[in-house]
């Protein structure tokens, strides 16, 4: 199940995959570069874990949960537009092994996230 951060990242509670929401990729525009972190890096919830560059702007991506980066999606390095084409699927960014499972409960459900978007 996907849970969302207010900063527009999603976290798949079953696989540990992290990416950006469809809303976030629409705001960024055409993504041209993904600066992936090192596998093995320890991250804290809310910390910048990577940057995306689009033709319009650069955007920081934040860790939705604390943990260890156990995998990165090399496909998005070679083909950054995957993040635009399938942000909540093939365009995932990193896989995090959570170290504090209670943080997952603090993330938003899809319905809660959509309500925040409506308020923007």
């Amino acid at each position: 199940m996907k849970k969302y951060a207010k900063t527009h990242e999603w976290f798949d509670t079953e696989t540990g995959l992290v990416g950006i929401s469809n809303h976030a990729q629409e705001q960024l525009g055409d993504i041209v570069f993904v600066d992936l972190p090192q596998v093995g890096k320890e991250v804290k919830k809310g910390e910048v874990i990577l940057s995306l560059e689009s033709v319009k702007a650069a955007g920081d991506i934040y860790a939705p949960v604390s943990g260890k980066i156990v995998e990165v999606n090399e496909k998005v390095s070679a083909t950054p537009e995957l993040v635009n084409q399938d942000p909540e699927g093939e365009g995932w960014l990193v896989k995090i092994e959570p170290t504090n499972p209670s943080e997952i409960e603090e993330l938003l459900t899809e319905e809660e996230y959509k309500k925040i978007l409506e308020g923007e």
Side-chain angles (χ1 to χ4, degrees), residues 12-78:
D12 188 313
T13 58
E14 287 154 34
T15 63
L17 295 180
V18 175
I20 62 169
S21 69
N22 189 51
H23 173 78
Q25 73 80 20
E26 286 172 352
Q27 298 298 101
L28 278 168
D30 293 337
I31 295 166
V32 293
F33 180 72
V34 180
D35 184 19
L36 292 169
Q38 293 290 319
V39 170
K41 181 180 180 182
E42 297 280 340
V43 296
K44 289 190 173 25
K45 179 181 177 173
E47 182 178 284
V48 173
I49 50 173
L50 64 104
S51 295
L52 297 176
E53 289 178 25
S54 73
V55 291
K56 291 198 297 192
D60 288 331
I61 307 305
Y62 303 92
V65 294
S66 298
K68 182 180 189 176
I69 295 175
V70 292
E71 193 178 340
V72 295
N73 187 354
E74 297 291 351
K75 280 194 219 164
V76 298
S77 268

